[in-house]
Amino acid sequence: MKEELIARVVQVLRINMSWMTWNLFLAFIPLALSVWLFRMRRGGTWLWWLGFVVFYAFLPNAPYLLTDVIHLIDDIRRIQSVWMITLVLIPVYLLVILGGFEAYVISLINWGHYLHRIGKSEWIWRVELITHFFCAVGVYWGRFLRFNSWDFITQPDAVLTKGVEEILGKQPLVIIAISFVILVGLYWIMKRVTLGFVRQPDRKIGINSGRANSNTPNI
């Protein structure tokens, strides 16, 4: 019985590993771009703006991992073992989902760092809210309309026509609004946790970080 249960868990994880790895890869693309764009480069060149557009095209892939919880529900029904679900399945899903969302958080922190560097710190919270809204729309497009980031290039007409038409309905607007609220709330929490970890070494060596603007990224 135990061998059969373990075999079932291994089978479920093996099936999930492909999409988990792929979705994490897509989530880390905007993170890598944010380091290049906002930490290593100066804006203004055509290459920077091209990277910036690609960054926003792929950014919804990071919070999109939050919606993969629906696969967890299916897997729980399939395994039906409290111990296996608690000790194996849920930790794996948490690791993948939190990893994707942390990529989203650090990407926006890097974006905020760039705005602070060019003297636009007052724009940070506005840019964050606008980004949360666009990502809420992108998550809806990805989960319900099955659009991918590269569809902006491969089928832009479908994205602009079907995508815009769909989000104007009552149900899509409710889903997008709920997604927006979730993104704002989770980002607010995770941003402070992330910056808290980064600022800890500063406190140990006596640097006063208490005066820092809460909008100012320090990583």
Side-chain angles (χ1 to χ4, degrees):
M1 185 67 179
K2 288 183 179 179
E3 290 77 6
E4 182 182 350
L5 184 59
I6 292 174
R8 192 182 305 170
V9 171
V10 171
Q11 182 184 12
V12 168
L13 291 178
R14 189 177 298 167
I15 293 172
N16 289 337
M17 200 55 64
S18 59
W19 67 259
M20 285 181 173
T21 304
W22 175 247
N23 285 355
L24 271 178
F25 170 74
L26 293 177
F28 276 85
I29 289 177
L31 174 58
L33 283 171
S34 74
V35 174
W36 182 75
L37 289 168
F38 308 132
R39 296 283 182 172
M40 301 171 59
R41 300 279 297 186
R42 276 283 181 183
T45 66
W46 69 268
L47 186 61
W48 189 92
W49 282 109
L50 177 62
F52 184 78
V53 171
V54 175
F55 166 77
Y56 262 100
F58 278 87
L59 187 59
N61 289 294
Y64 176 86
L65 278 159
L66 293 172
T67 67
D68 284 331
V69 72
I70 63 174
H71 299 301
L72 174 60
I73 297 172
D74 292 336
D75 289 343
I76 288 174
R77 291 172 180 166
R78 195 173 302 141
I79 293 176
Q80 296 180 344
S81 168
V82 175
W83 289 110
M84 286 296 181
I85 291 169
T86 304
L87 299 178
V88 179
L89 205 60
I90 291 179
V92 169
Y93 270 87
L94 281 178
L95 183 64
V96 172
I97 292 172
L98 287 178
F101 197 77
E102 183 63 16
Y104 178 70
V105 171
I106 297 177
S107 296
L108 286 188
I109 288 176
N110 287 338
W111 189 190
H113 171 83
Y114 179 82
L115 290 172
H116 176 69
R117 194 174 72 192
I118 63 175
K120 302 294 183 182
S121 297
E122 69 278 5
W123 289 13
I124 293 176
W125 68 271
R126 297 182 181 90
V127 167
E128 288 176 344
L129 288 179
I130 292 171
T131 301
H132 295 329
F133 172 75
F134 281 132
C135 284
V137 173
V139 169
Y140 177 83
W141 280 351
R143 175 53 66 189
F144 294 96
L145 304 185
R146 309 310 297 169
F147 283 128
N148 296 304
S149 298
W150 48 87
D151 287 333
F152 286 100
I153 303 298
T154 59
Q155 47 178 337
D157 293 341
V159 174
L160 293 177
T161 55
K162 184 180 178 182
V164 173
E165 287 175 4
E166 285 286 336
I167 65 174
L168 295 179
K170 184 177 179 180
Q171 183 176 353
L173 287 177
V174 171
I175 295 173
I176 291 170
I178 294 173
S179 301
F180 173 76
V181 172
I182 291 173
L183 288 182
V184 171
L186 287 180
Y187 175 78
W188 186 87
I189 295 171
M190 292 297 293
K191 179 181 179 181
R192 274 143 189 80
V193 171
T194 303
L195 293 178
F197 274 115
V198 173
R199 288 170 181 168
Q200 268 186 337
D202 293 344
R203 297 192 190 103
K204 290 179 181 178
I205 61 176
I207 296 177
N208 182 9
S209 59
R211 297 179 183 177
N213 189 321
S214 61
N215 279 334
T216 303
N218 286 340
I219 69 172

